[in-house]
């Protein structure tokens, strides 16, 4: 069962994903997750950490650019998944990263509905 911090974080993610068509709330590895067309693009690892699906080159760039927000543990080395510190990232940047991850997983028919990025 999710605790209050996790529920609050999930509510934040759902609010930020509101402009992205086809987003479903589910679970991944027993924690709340956001998916599109059944494909995971973001999940809550714990109350302070998010796991964002991202290509390796983007992952490395973001960790280098903002290590206070983005990081990885040995478990995630070599995988297209990036850890985010939920309490440090602001809503604007988190929404941008979520939209990018959504675009990589969403089918073309849904991507066409969001021509210029998510709406608020």
């Amino acid at each position: 069962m999710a605790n209050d911090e996790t529920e609050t974080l999930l509510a934040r993610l759902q609010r930020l994903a509101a402009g992205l068509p086809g987003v479903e709330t589910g679970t991944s590895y027993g924690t709340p997750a956001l998916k599109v067309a059944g494909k995971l693009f973001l999940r809550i690892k714990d109350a302070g950490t998010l796991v964002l699906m991202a290509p390796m080159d983007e992952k490395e760039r973001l960790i280098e650019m903002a290590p206070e927000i983005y990081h990885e543990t040995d478990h995630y080395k070599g995988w297209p998944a990036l850890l985010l510190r939920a309490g440090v990232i602001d809503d604007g940047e988190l929404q941008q990263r979520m939209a990018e991850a959504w675009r990589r997983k969403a089918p073309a028919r849904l991507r066409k509905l969001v021509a210029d990025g998510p709406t608020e």
Side-chain angles (χ1 to χ4, degrees), residues 7-21:
E7 289 175 10
T8 300
L9 181 53
L10 179 59
R12 177 185 179 199
L13 298 176
Q14 290 170 325
R15 176 177 50 83
L16 294 175
L20 302 171

Side-chain angles (χ1 to χ4, degrees), residues 23-50:
V23 172
E24 310 149 356
T25 301
T27 60
S28 177
Y29 296 98
T31 63
L34 297 183
K35 301 177 181 185
V36 60
K39 296 180 182 177
L40 173 71
F41 69 93
L42 178 75
R43 79 174 184 92
I44 297 174
K45 183 176 187 301
D46 57 49
T49 311
L50 301 172

Side-chain angles (χ1 to χ4, degrees), residues 56-74:
M56 295 301 291
D57 58 338
E58 170 129 348
K59 175 179 171 175
E60 292 167 7
R61 181 182 65 79
L62 290 170
I63 290 170
E64 186 175 312
M65 179 183 81
E68 70 282 3
I69 298 172
Y70 306 101
H71 64 105
E72 72 177 345
T73 60
D74 287 344

